[in-house]
Amino acid sequence: MSAETSTVKVPPQRPSSTSTESGAARPAERGGRFRGQAAPWLLLAPTLAVLAVVLGYPLARLAALSFQKFGQSQLWGFQPTEWVGFRNFTTVLGDGAFWDVVLRTVLFAAGAVVFTMVLGMALAMLLMRVSGWVKTLINIALVASWAMPIVVAVTVFKWMFDTDYGVANWLLSRIPGLDLDHHNWFVDSTQGFVIIMALVVWGAVPFVAITLHAGLTQVPKELEEAARMDGAGAVKVFRYVTLPVLRPIIVMLATLSVIWDMGVFPQVFLMRGGHPEPEYQLLTTYSYDRAFVVNDYSMGSAIALLTVLLLLGVIAVYMRQMLKIGEVE
């Protein structure tokens, strides 16, 4: 048979199933992707619902009160609630006493945060260098001081710095040239805030120290050994090897400390017997004083809302720093 007359029979081709299968798979893939994206939100939904009820309503009520005239007469229904717009904020921001309180709060929080971070880092590094049983004892002491109720801690500090029976006065008076018998630490607000700051730092250091110690255990030992072989001393190893690894933890702890220390209330309130003097007012106690002592709830709400906005600014800075750290990594 010649080539011209020969024919080649081509078997019938079945339609490709690739397009059909891919077309059928696309809706399933989209559904799986949607379920994957929705799963975290479904898991967070109960927590978000609780936060909305516990924090959302009080915050909304606080914001509403700050735009109203609401005092004791409105509370008991003798006078109707009156919306006054931004008048409360104008009054607060135009009051020199408010700015004194803001400055005092910022300085107090800054000092407490610095001392907390420095002492926490020192204790964390100490935990890396002591033996096992000493580390256990230090951790027990840290957890015990951290778990101590604030009321108990305030009572201990009030006894330690008592004018007549304070152990601090007795110990310091043993130093030659110092006579602190019957010394009142709270006559001068600067000395008084030093005592209150010591109380706040004492309660905050354990969390910082334990967290930083956990971070120090993750610093690669080979990097530190390589830096020492290159001639770096202890300070340079800490600065160029340890600190960069701990930077995310330090940023987180510093931000949380700022938020906590700017929101200090029971330490000041209890140390001053429930009636902080004007020179001992912080933003939290100042807002409480305006709302529940002067009975001007709208003005106290305005101060509290300004405090919340100030703390939101701190949180925004924290989020920005964490995003930068994430981009670098």
Side-chain angles (χ1 to χ4, degrees), residues 99-114:
W99 293 109
D100 291 339
V101 172
V102 172
L103 178 61
R104 192 179 301 121
T105 303
V106 172
L107 292 177
F108 176 84
V113 170
V114 169

Side-chain angles (χ1 to χ4, degrees), residues 139-215:
N139 281 322
I140 291 173
L142 290 174
V143 173
S145 63
W146 187 27
M148 182 177 292
I150 294 178
V151 175
V152 178
V154 170
T155 303
V156 171
F157 269 74
K158 289 180 73 173
W159 168 75
M160 289 174 58
F161 295 94
D162 185 75
T163 302
D164 298 319
Y165 307 103
V167 65
N169 290 353
W170 180 81
L171 287 175
L172 292 174
S173 297
R174 304 283 79 80
I175 301 175
L178 281 181
D179 184 11
L180 294 177
D181 287 337
H182 305 288
H183 177 71
N184 190 343
W185 293 89
F186 294 95
V187 171
D188 182 9
S189 61
T190 302
Q191 296 181 9
F193 266 119
V194 169
I195 305 304
I196 297 173
M197 187 182 297
L199 171 61
V200 172
V201 171
W202 182 78
V205 160
F207 173 75
V208 174
I210 293 172
T211 306
L212 288 176
H213 174 253

Side-chain angles (χ1 to χ4, degrees), residues 36-307:
Q37 294 175 352
W41 293 103
L42 291 176
L43 294 174
L44 288 173
T47 303
L48 294 176
V50 172
L51 289 176
V53 174
V54 175
L55 297 178
Y57 173 76
L59 188 60
R61 181 59 176 161
L62 179 73
L65 282 175
S66 63
F67 291 97
Q68 298 174 348
K69 179 183 178 182
F70 196 90
Q72 206 166 23
S73 299
Q74 287 77 16
L75 178 66
W76 294 104
F78 299 135
Q79 293 182 5
T81 302
E82 179 183 354
W83 291 86
V84 295
F86 290 93
R87 192 174 72 185
N88 292 325
F89 295 97
T90 304
T91 303
V92 170
L93 296 176
D95 187 5
F98 170 76
W99 293 109
D100 291 339
V101 172
V102 172
L103 178 61
R104 192 179 301 121
T105 303
V106 172
L107 292 177
F108 176 84
V113 170
V114 169
F115 282 109
T116 299
M117 297 302 297
V118 171
L119 293 176
M121 180 64 75
L123 279 173
M125 297 183 69
L126 176 65
L127 288 172
M128 295 293 294
R129 287 163 172 79
V130 296
S131 59
W133 68 272
V134 177
K135 182 186 298 185
T136 301
L137 291 178
I138 295 176
N139 281 322
I140 291 173
L142 290 174
V143 173
S145 63
W146 187 27
M148 182 177 292
I150 294 178
V151 175
V152 178
V154 170
T155 303
V156 171
F157 269 74
K158 289 180 73 173
W159 168 75
M160 289 174 58
F161 295 94
D162 185 75
T163 302
D164 298 319
Y165 307 103
V167 65
N169 290 353
W170 180 81
L171 287 175
L172 292 174
S173 297
R174 304 283 79 80
I175 301 175
L178 281 181
D179 184 11
L180 294 177
D181 287 337
H182 305 288
H183 177 71
N184 190 343
W185 293 89
F186 294 95
V187 171
D188 182 9
S189 61
T190 302
Q191 296 181 9
F193 266 119
V194 169
I195 305 304
I196 297 173
M197 187 182 297
L199 171 61
V200 172
V201 171
W202 182 78
V205 160
F207 173 75
V208 174
I210 293 172
T211 306
L212 288 176
H213 174 253
L216 286 172
T217 59
Q218 303 304 313
V219 178
K221 301 300 181 184
E222 54 271 16
L223 292 180
E224 295 180 345
E225 294 176 359
R228 292 190 186 97
M229 292 179 64
D230 290 338
V235 176
K236 288 187 176 180
V237 170
F238 178 75
R239 179 179 178 182
Y240 296 107
V241 178
T242 306
L243 277 183
V245 177
L246 293 180
R247 186 183 174 189
I249 300 176
I250 292 174
V251 171
M252 178 196 70
L253 291 174
T255 307
L256 290 176
S257 298
V258 170
I259 294 173
W260 292 336
D261 293 341
M262 289 192 67
V264 165
F265 176 81
Q267 291 88 338
V268 180
F269 188 79
L270 295 175
M271 288 292 282
R272 301 313 303 138
H275 303 283
E277 297 85 349
E279 61 270 18
Y280 281 97
Q281 294 286 357
L282 299 179
L283 279 172
T284 50
T285 58
Y286 188 60
S287 173
Y288 176 88
D289 186 77
R290 296 294 300 179
F292 299 104
V293 177
V294 184
N295 293 322
D296 192 348
Y297 305 107
S298 55
M299 197 68 67
S301 299
I303 297 170
L305 189 60
L306 290 172
T307 305

